[in-house]
Amino acid sequence: MINSKKLLDEETKKAVVRFQQNEITEHILYKKLSNRTRGKNKETLMEISEEELKHYNLFKKYTNVDVTPRRIEVILYSFISRVFGLTFTVK
């Protein structure tokens, strides 16, 4: 029987936690962008945000760690979207 607590070695767990943090950061960012958008773009950004949250929760099952988003990155990209627009920011 496989012990779920030892499923990931420490190096792999650290990498997965980084991926997990990327997912929650992107979830927050896409959600913020969708709140300032209308129509089809709003729907698309909300769908992407929801997918990122699903990815975060999947990684969380393996790491058993709850991570916070990188706030500075969310603030930076939110600012960039206001200055240069949604298309530039998403690309």
Side-chain angles (χ1 to χ4, degrees), residues 15-72:
V16 174
V17 168
R18 282 194 307 271
F19 295 141
Q20 183 180 347
Q21 189 174 39
N22 285 341
E23 297 297 333
I24 195 66
T25 301
E26 291 171 359
H27 160 68
I28 300 294
L29 179 58
Y30 283 119
K31 188 172 181 179
K32 282 184 169 283
L33 291 175
S34 74
N35 289 336
R36 292 199 316 258
T37 310
R38 296 190 192 334
K40 185 68 174 163
N41 285 342
K42 181 179 186 79
E43 292 173 25
T44 302
L45 290 169
M46 280 304 295
E47 288 173 13
I48 295 170
S49 174
E50 290 168 10
E51 284 297 316
E52 298 297 340
L53 185 58
K54 288 178 187 175
H55 298 157
Y56 167 81
N57 287 323
L58 176 67
F59 288 138
K60 187 177 174 181
K61 286 181 184 179
Y62 291 100
T63 63
N64 294 317
V65 174
D66 196 20
V67 296
T68 58
R70 288 187 301 278
R71 297 276 182 210
I72 192 73

